[in-house]
Amino acid sequence: MQITMRVNGDEVTRDVEPRLLLVHFLRDHLGLTGTHWGCDTSNCGACVVHMDGEPVKSCTVLAAMADGREVRTVEGMITNGVLDPVQQGFMEEHGLQCGFCTPGMMMAARALLDRNPHPTDAEIREGLSGQLCRCTGYATIVRSVHWAADHPAAAPAAAGAES
Amino acid sequence: MTTVEKPPYERPIGYGRLLRKEDPRFIRGKGNYIDDINLPGMLYGAILRSPYAHARIKSIDVSAATSLPKVVAVITGKDLEPLKLAWMPTLSQDTQAVLATDKVRFQGQEVAYVVAEDRYAARDALELIDVDYEILPAVVDPRKALEPGAPVIRDDKEGKTDNHIFDWESGDSAATDAVFAAADVVVKQDMYYPRSHPAPMETCGCVAQVDPIDGQLTLWATTQAPHAHRTVYALVAGLPEHKIRVIAPDIGGGFGNKVGVYPGYVCTIVAALVTGKPVKWMEDRSENLMSTSFARDFHMHGEIAATKEGKILGVRVNVIADHGAFNGTAQPSKYPAGFFHMFTGSYDLAAAHCKVTGVYTNKAPGGVAYACSFRITESVYLVERMVDCLAAELGTDPAELRLKNLIKPEQFPYTTKTGWEYDSGDYEVTLRKALDKIGYSELRKEQAEKRQRGELMGIGVAFFTEAVGAGPREHMDILGLGMADGATLRIHPTGKAVLGVSCQSTGQGHETTYAQIVGEELGIPPEDIDVVNGDTDRTPFGLGTYGSRSTPVSGAATAVVARKVRERARIVAAAMLEASADDLEWEKGRFFVKGDPERGKTIQEIAMGAHGSVHLPDGIEGGLDAETVYNPPNLTYPFGAYICVVDVDAGTGKVVVRRFLAVDDCGTRINPMIIEGQVHRGLTDGVGMALMEIIDFDEQGNCLGGSFMDYLLPTAMECPDWETDFTVTPSPHHPIGAKGVGESATVGSPPCIINAIVDALKPYGVRHIDMPATPGRVWEAIQKGKQATA
């Protein structure tokens, strides 16, 4: 079947099997490998992307369900060469180690800040409760999200590339 | 004039908080994990696994699967037999089936391997393979496995008539018995350290490619030990080692799960050889949880002996270790129970003895994984629980009892009754720091008040000593490969550096930490140093990353190789300055003439000079590059004092970890930010193990923890805001005084939390509760306590 959607601002049209998962569509068909797959049961959240601005677990969304929608992935977090404050915050506060959960974690954090720009610790923990991280123990992730909330104007991406 | 914009943070040259060099790619989604690798014409592998724990294979019919469009090949054990690859050696010198030929011995065991043009087609084909099984009785409980008449799991081994793997002892049995016979107080406790799983966020997988002309095999794989894997493939498959390149790209967490050589890797290599095309294989989550290296599964009987005044005299332990269907544990070959003989803990004992019996069962193979430091998790859990049991028996405060028995600073180096030589420590200072920082006496007052009101609050104390950084290689090897690690350091003419190390980061931040070690030794800024790991063609040989080896071994190799560069730089600088090498002094980044500090050369100038036209003394070839192999003289012994506070809901049995303070001593601290992150991770493991995680089985051997729906991991909701602090007791034998830290918190935190829960349940007479202390188990313990006191 043919599907068309906007991914990180670009319109894409592909022929796909109806059963194809959105995570595999993004990774294998569009080469957007920043979105990771971590479990089969929508527990881990490594695959979180935004669909029409809402966070979804792309391992439990069919690519066909994204037809006509606006999809944003970690690769789309940088806008006009500027890192999203969430990305900068994760670097500043050591909110990642192996980096595997990080794209999904950041997309969930972005969605949280979009609806609640100044969350409390408890609100951050609840907002990220659908995400598993095996490396950080979450405390530095909570700090990272606070950093992003405190620095809504992001640093230039060039500085981030150096750090 | 050129102005250089200051970076948004301080960048130390050398040790200190430094943001990670690896993060810019990760936060952009530009990491390069196995499943991100796509090669032209690549095929996909998928594994058919056994639905039964124990069954004889009567026949396998692959015809329907083979005829499916897009399916390229289906490989069974029969196909591997002529290649002598149906079985492979394990890291414990046992054998393991690559693809089952005679029987399946655990649920999830590999039976057939499909190669197809896409990953969906490969999975479709699995469903069309028809295997005729004759179901056999499963052996699930290792104690029953030892009973006479138990079904023999490993009847593939000639003459094998039982399920016994090994008996192993450490310490002095007779001396320990004598100490126990004379002791005022003896306390006994059975405890089970449940089977758990490291469950890294990225599952295991690989991509294999064979060059059809020169036969070169390139294997991108989720491995923590790329060099060891290369040698194993050479030995197992008979491939020439110089024609094998193993690349570990970015690894999405390891925790010991990615040390072993799994059947999937071997099958994928075979598939690439057979099809002539690159092949990718990636586990799904259930495959990861059900078939790859699990952790723990130790049934322990502990005994502790003391005087009535609370002087601990001895510890005695008997263990039945469930190793699953194949003995695939990964530890130095002389130590079948790993480093469990660290169970003497942090205490000065008169005698100690342990006996460990390894047993086959119809479960997945493994046992040594999950940040366990070769089973020190089990040993520290045992001794820290026993000390608390003794404190309860004596009516003593558990912190006071520990203070009374900790090894004293003047006793270091301290040789334990099981033969370990602890390098350095000042334990009492660390424990007192933790007690002060958390406000221990105030917490006890709060607890007393709450008990008056019927509220259940518990305070847990644990002290641990770790042994990390294996070898030396004359005592420690895996399959004959001594546990040492290499480092190479290339210095380009402009003073930029490339360090190659044999260990492999699985998220620990090696690219940053090792650049800091080089920076500390040579004064080269971190952004001018690239650290390469995980590619056998670009790094020197070494045994890899597990058991917190990276800093103690590869970190030492890095410091040593940097010092070699510095000594070469001294000779070159002397030639450039027309001075005697002995007359030069070093300050970070620069040699200068003694008494004439203006007359000097920076390391960058020296690098250019080493490749320039300056006349060098006879025997000096030019260039600054150096290499080394570091064979550690001893392990390093980090330690720590942990205290936590839990609240237990008496109505539901739910445990909340309200506070957790970890005071760690890992010697010299290279990057405190990264150390803190490592500690946080291990503390989270403690919450998982103490409260949630277990891979359990039913009587038929069905795995009950085969997905994240059933195998529960801590989320941000279960974890408190970790509190950390530190003391610094450098290792006397490590070049920079550093000790490992990666697994310290995984070792120290589970007993701390269980001690706190038992402390909370004291009003109900509870002395022990097995992990995981789920609400159901805690609630039951409360009910039993109520009945007993009613």
Side-chain angles (χ1 to χ4, degrees):
Chain A
M1 64 183 291
Q2 194 178 74
I3 56 172
T4 299
M5 66 185 84
R6 289 185 83 80
V7 178
N8 298 328
D10 296 331
E11 187 174 292
V12 295
T13 300
R14 294 285 190 283
D15 273 315
V16 300
E17 283 189 71
R19 63 176 174 169
L20 182 70
L21 297 173
L22 180 58
V23 64
H24 290 141
F25 178 71
L26 294 170
R27 292 179 51 83
D28 295 348
H29 293 244
L30 303 185
L32 295 171
T33 54
T35 300
H36 297 147
W37 168 93
C39 72
D40 312 291
T41 47
S42 72
N43 289 88
C44 82
C47 63
V48 166
V49 299
H50 292 187
M51 197 158 76
D52 290 343
E54 287 294 316
V56 295
K57 290 181 171 171
S58 61
C59 76
T60 33
V61 174
L62 295 170
M65 292 161 71
D67 185 38
R69 310 285 200 105
E70 178 93 31
V71 173
R72 191 177 174 212
T73 71
V74 64
E75 289 91 345
M77 284 190 97
I78 292 183
T79 44
N80 301 323
V82 177
L83 287 176
D84 190 292
V86 169
Q87 293 174 300
Q88 190 72 34
F90 271 68
M91 285 200 293
E92 296 288 341
E93 297 295 343
H94 193 31
L96 69 153
Q97 290 183 29
C98 80
F100 199 81
C101 77
T102 311
M105 195 70 78
M106 292 193 306
M107 294 304 286
R110 178 73 269 157
L112 169 68
L113 291 175
D114 285 347
R115 61 177 188 270
N116 180 359
H118 295 286
T120 63
D121 274 18
E123 287 167 343
I124 294 171
R125 286 178 183 275
E126 191 177 347
L128 301 179
S129 60
Q131 314 292 123
L132 289 174
C133 170
R134 300 290 288 143
C135 297
T136 64
Y138 305 104
T140 55
I141 290 176
V142 174
R143 292 180 208 162
S144 303
V145 178
H146 278 307
W147 192 99
D150 295 342
H151 298 79
E162 259 295 292
S163 50
Chain B
M1 190 179 134
T2 318
T3 56
V4 180
E5 198 178 297
K6 272 195 79 171
Y9 53 89
E10 286 296 310
R11 260 178 229 248
I13 295 177
Y15 308 153
R17 186 181 201 268
L18 176 72
L19 298 194
R20 300 199 323 164
K21 290 161 69 73
E22 37 278 89
D23 287 354
R25 67 176 185 271
F26 289 143
I27 55 109
R28 286 169 170 78
K30 298 294 182 190
N32 185 35
Y33 304 91
I34 289 293
D35 205 15
D36 302 342
I37 294 168
N38 288 301
L39 303 175
M42 190 173 74
L43 304 174
Y44 292 80
I47 294 176
L48 180 74
R49 295 175 182 276
S50 168
Y52 304 113
H54 201 189
R56 194 164 302 286
I57 295 175
K58 293 165 76 176
S59 65
I60 303 177
D61 181 358
V62 302
S63 53
T66 310
S67 58
L68 200 68
K70 292 190 179 176
V71 170
V72 177
V74 181
I75 301 168
T76 66
K78 289 278 175 242
D79 303 317
L80 296 179
E81 275 178 338
L83 305 169
K84 296 192 167 53
L85 284 176
W87 291 78
M88 63 178 186
T90 69
L91 298 182
S92 296
Q93 290 161 321
D94 192 5
T95 49
Q96 174 173 357
V98 175
L99 292 175
T101 48
D102 54 340
K103 288 201 306 189
V104 287
R105 292 173 170 86
F106 69 92
Q107 188 186 49
Q109 188 181 334
E110 298 80 359
V111 176
Y113 186 94
V114 169
V115 192
E117 286 170 18
D118 70 53
R119 62 175 99 218
Y120 285 50
R123 295 270 161 173
D124 289 343
L126 295 184
E127 299 190 8
L128 299 177
I129 299 173
D130 187 14
V131 185
D132 188 7
Y133 291 105
E134 176 195 341
I135 299 171
L136 302 170
V139 185
V140 177
D141 183 333
R143 290 159 297 199
K144 287 186 182 163
L146 288 174
E147 287 172 2
V152 178
I153 296 165
R154 294 302 302 277
D155 48 356
D156 58 290
K157 294 164 88 84
E158 208 174 308
K160 190 75 182 155
T161 56
D162 60 23
N163 297 310
H164 180 268
I165 307 176
F166 64 84
D167 282 316
W168 185 78
E169 293 184 52
S170 181
D172 187 328
S173 176
T176 307
D177 289 349
V179 161
F180 270 77
D184 301 332
V185 185
V186 171
V187 181
K188 303 177 181 185
Q189 183 63 54
D190 285 320
M191 58 189 83
Y192 173 51
Y193 207 131
R195 181 176 278 237
S196 57
H197 196 282
M201 289 308 301
E202 179 202 33
T203 57
C204 297
C206 66
V207 177
Q209 182 179 38
V210 179
D211 185 309
I213 309 298
D214 69 2
Q216 167 93 27
L217 164 68
T218 305
L219 184 76
W220 292 261
T222 48
T223 171
Q224 300 172 222
H227 290 278
H229 274 213
R230 185 189 61 189
T231 304
V232 168
Y233 294 128
L235 296 173
V236 171
L239 299 168
E241 195 169 2
H242 66 298
K243 295 288 187 190
I244 307 173
R245 179 181 187 185
V246 176
I247 300 173
D250 288 322
I251 303 292
F255 322 119
N257 187 228
K258 293 168 180 169
V259 175
V261 174
Y262 295 123
Y265 302 150
V266 177
C267 290
T268 306
I269 294 170
V270 171
L273 283 164
V274 168
T275 63
K277 291 186 173 170
V279 180
K280 177 193 282 186
W281 164 72
M282 203 72 219
E283 289 173 341
D284 66 26
R285 178 55 61 187
S286 291
E287 293 181 282
N288 180 252
L289 289 171
M290 290 173 70
S291 74
T292 61
S293 193
F294 75 91
R296 328 288 192 252
D297 216 342
F298 250 38
H299 297 260
M300 302 184 278
H301 172 77
E303 299 179 37
I304 190 166
T307 67
K308 57 183 182 299
E309 293 80 23
K311 168 69 190 144
I312 303 172
L313 301 171
V315 179
R316 196 160 56 184
V317 198
N318 257 292
V319 180
I320 293 181
D322 186 338
H323 281 225
F326 308 101
N327 186 22
T329 55
Q331 76 269 302
S333 57
K334 283 184 192 166
Y335 303 97
F339 296 168
F340 182 73
H341 48 317
M342 283 287 296
F343 71 91
T344 57
S346 312
Y347 309 104
D348 184 22
L349 304 181
H353 179 256
C354 74
K355 183 184 171 203
V356 181
T357 301
V359 182
Y360 289 121
T361 60
N362 287 119
K363 301 179 195 169
V368 176
Y370 206 171
C372 73
S373 298
F374 303 121
R375 296 211 188 271
I376 294 176
T377 34
E378 289 93 321
S379 68
V380 166
Y381 179 73
L382 182 281
V383 69
E384 289 305 293
R385 284 296 303 124
M386 291 314 298
V387 169
D388 257 40
C389 289
L390 177 64
E393 180 75 17
L394 295 170
T396 314
D397 180 272
E400 286 302 318
L401 185 60
R402 285 177 173 83
L403 285 168
K404 187 181 285 188
N405 287 284
L406 288 174
I407 299 163
K408 305 272 182 287
E410 61 272 17
Q411 290 178 285
F412 288 90
Y414 176 87
T415 303
T416 72
K417 293 296 180 234
T418 50
W420 298 93
E421 191 187 298
Y422 292 3
D423 57 351
S424 63
D426 196 344
Y427 293 172
E428 185 177 334
V429 167
T430 307
L431 179 50
R432 287 203 186 280
K433 186 167 194 174
L435 294 167
D436 289 346
K437 179 150 183 148
I438 203 158
Y440 187 71
S441 45
E442 292 77 34
L443 285 172
R444 285 290 175 203
K445 276 183 212 148
E446 180 192 341
Q447 181 186 40
E449 287 163 16
K450 288 196 163 155
R451 272 194 187 146
Q452 293 274 320
R453 298 200 295 270
E455 292 174 37
L456 302 179
M457 165 185 164
I459 304 161
V461 181
F463 198 99
F464 69 89
T465 301
E466 264 262 66
V468 300
R473 62 177 163 205
E474 48 272 41
H475 298 308
M476 296 181 187
D477 71 276
I478 290 183
L479 293 179
L481 299 172
M483 300 182 83
D485 281 83
T488 57
L489 184 55
R490 297 172 62 204
I491 309 290
H492 297 317
T494 54
K496 315 289 183 189
V498 179
L499 175 78
V501 285
S502 53
C503 59
Q504 168 60 31
S505 179
T506 54
Q508 301 92 327
H510 289 178
E511 291 164 51
T512 308
T513 301
Y514 293 134
Q516 293 186 264
I517 296 174
V518 173
E520 181 75 20
E521 297 295 335
L522 293 177
I524 299 175
E527 59 269 29
D528 288 354
I529 304 163
D530 267 357
V531 176
V532 179
N533 66 182
D535 182 342
T536 55
D537 272 12
R538 296 176 66 207
T539 60
F541 186 85
L543 269 266
T545 293
Y546 40 85
S548 300
R549 295 182 75 247
S550 294
T551 296
V553 190
S554 282
T558 299
V560 168
V561 81
R563 287 171 190 178
K564 282 189 174 185
V565 166
R566 198 166 70 206
E567 285 318 299
R568 300 184 78 142
R570 175 191 294 274
I571 295 165
V572 175
M576 293 171 80
L577 293 164
E578 296 178 344
S580 158
D582 295 337
D583 286 340
L584 296 189
E585 263 188 55
W586 172 257
E587 63 181 349
K588 199 189 274 185
R590 184 172 178 270
F591 275 112
F592 64 91
V593 179
K594 272 179 202 166
D596 189 2
E598 295 300 307
R599 219 176 121 208
K601 292 287 178 191
T602 65
I603 187 73
Q604 290 80 8
E605 290 167 334
I606 300 167
M608 188 64 83
H611 292 283
S613 57
V614 63
H615 178 74
L616 297 173
D618 288 348
I620 303 298
E621 295 172 333
L624 295 179
D625 298 359
E627 62 186 307
T628 196
V629 177
Y630 187 77
N631 180 27
N634 187 8
L635 293 101
T636 65
Y637 295 81
F639 55 92
Y642 289 1
I643 304 178
C644 74
V645 181
V646 302
D647 295 309
V648 179
D649 185 323
T652 63
K654 188 187 175 191
V655 175
V656 172
V657 180
R658 191 207 313 168
R659 288 184 70 187
F660 200 117
L661 168 66
V663 181
D664 275 273
D665 193 321
C666 59
T668 302
R669 294 160 66 81
I670 300 160
N671 186 328
M673 179 189 82
I674 286 177
I675 293 171
E676 186 195 30
Q678 294 282 294
V679 171
H680 283 190
R681 189 202 64 72
L683 298 177
T684 309
D685 289 350
V687 168
M689 272 169 236
L691 302 181
M692 309 160 78
E693 298 177 25
I694 183 169
I695 302 273
D696 212 350
F697 294 82
D698 70 10
E699 284 180 9
Q700 284 78 47
N702 294 306
C703 179
L704 305 179
S707 81
F708 281 165
M709 309 275 275
D710 306 299
Y711 186 64
L712 303 182
L713 298 169
T715 72
M717 299 297 281
E718 288 79 35
C719 296
D721 193 11
W722 309 112
E723 300 165 59
T724 60
D725 207 333
F726 62 94
T727 56
V728 177
T729 313
S731 169
H733 64 76
H734 188 278
I736 61 172
K739 302 179 176 185
V741 73
E743 301 170 320
S744 287
T746 308
V747 165
S749 57
C752 188
I753 296 172
I754 292 296
N755 284 350
I757 295 169
V758 173
D759 184 53
L761 301 182
K762 205 172 180 182
Y764 297 107
V766 173
R767 180 160 288 178
H768 177 72
I769 189 163
D770 267 335
M771 297 188 287
T774 56
R777 278 191 184 170
V778 173
W779 186 84
E780 273 177 27
I782 292 171
Q783 303 317 307
K784 269 190 200 160
K786 278 183 179 168
Q787 284 161 14
T789 51

